[in-house]
Amino acid sequence: MMLQFLVAMLVSLVSIGLHALMTVVAIDIARRAGLRHPARPRSHLMGVMMATAVVLMIAHMLEVFVWAATYAIIGVAAAEQGLLYFAFVNYTTLGYGDITPVREWRLIGPLTAMNGVLLFGWSAAVLFEVLRKTLDHFEAAKAPGFTRP
């Protein structure tokens, strides 16, 4: 059981590091885009939010790939069962249950889900903060035609 916790902790740390890196990228993109004074601020805001969301989704997909690779290395389930699919089901807490891990690794699914929930919450917080900062910037710049929704 301790091996499962150790592996999950190491993979979670890699996922968290990846998420931190992609968060920095997302915030940098949002900050650069948010500093502009666009003629159409509503469309610009939509673009900033969409770009931020896409970067965060890429982060989540990369993190799922890390979990799937780990599953393959440690032999959680037979590769022909679809380890990437299994990682997505666990990470997103969907939990179909159509693929189950071998008995020795049965805690890896819930530990993967715990990592996914944490990082989805982080992403939601980043999206909210980007929205808030961009709206604040538009208000401060008194963008023509823009009123806070």
Side-chain angles (χ1 to χ4, degrees):
M1 181 170 16
M2 285 307 290
L3 182 59
Q4 292 180 74
F5 286 116
L6 179 63
V7 168
M9 186 58 67
L10 291 172
V11 178
S12 290
L13 286 172
V14 170
S15 292
I16 290 166
L18 232 147
H19 210 77
L21 175 66
M22 294 300 280
T23 296
V24 168
V25 169
I27 289 172
D28 188 52
I29 290 169
R31 185 173 286 140
R32 288 175 193 226
L35 293 177
R36 297 190 185 123
H37 300 286
R40 298 174 51 187
R42 291 182 191 276
S43 297
H44 184 72
L45 176 61
M46 287 174 53
V48 169
M49 295 307 297
M50 289 170 59
T52 303
V54 166
V55 170
L56 292 170
M57 285 181 67
I58 291 168
H60 287 291
M61 286 188 272
L62 291 172
E63 292 149 16
V64 169
F65 282 118
V66 169
W67 279 103
T70 302
Y71 290 176
I73 291 167
I74 62 177
V76 167
E80 63 270 2
Q81 289 183 317
L83 295 178
L84 183 60
Y85 166 76
F86 185 48
F88 262 107
V89 168
N90 286 324
Y91 185 86
T92 61
T93 72
L94 186 58
Y96 279 141
D98 54 342
I99 300 175
T100 55
V102 294
R103 184 166 177 75
E104 306 84 58
W105 288 102
R106 66 183 176 185
L107 285 177
I108 202 77
L111 292 167
T112 303
M114 185 171 64
N115 181 241
V117 166
L118 173 69
L119 297 179
F120 281 124
W122 179 343
S123 291
V126 169
L127 284 167
F128 180 78
E129 187 62 11
V130 166
L131 174 63
R132 191 180 71 76
K133 290 285 192 185
T134 306
L135 288 172
D136 287 349
H137 172 73
F138 285 164
E139 278 188 7
K142 303 277 192 233
F146 185 81
T147 55
R148 192 174 209 149

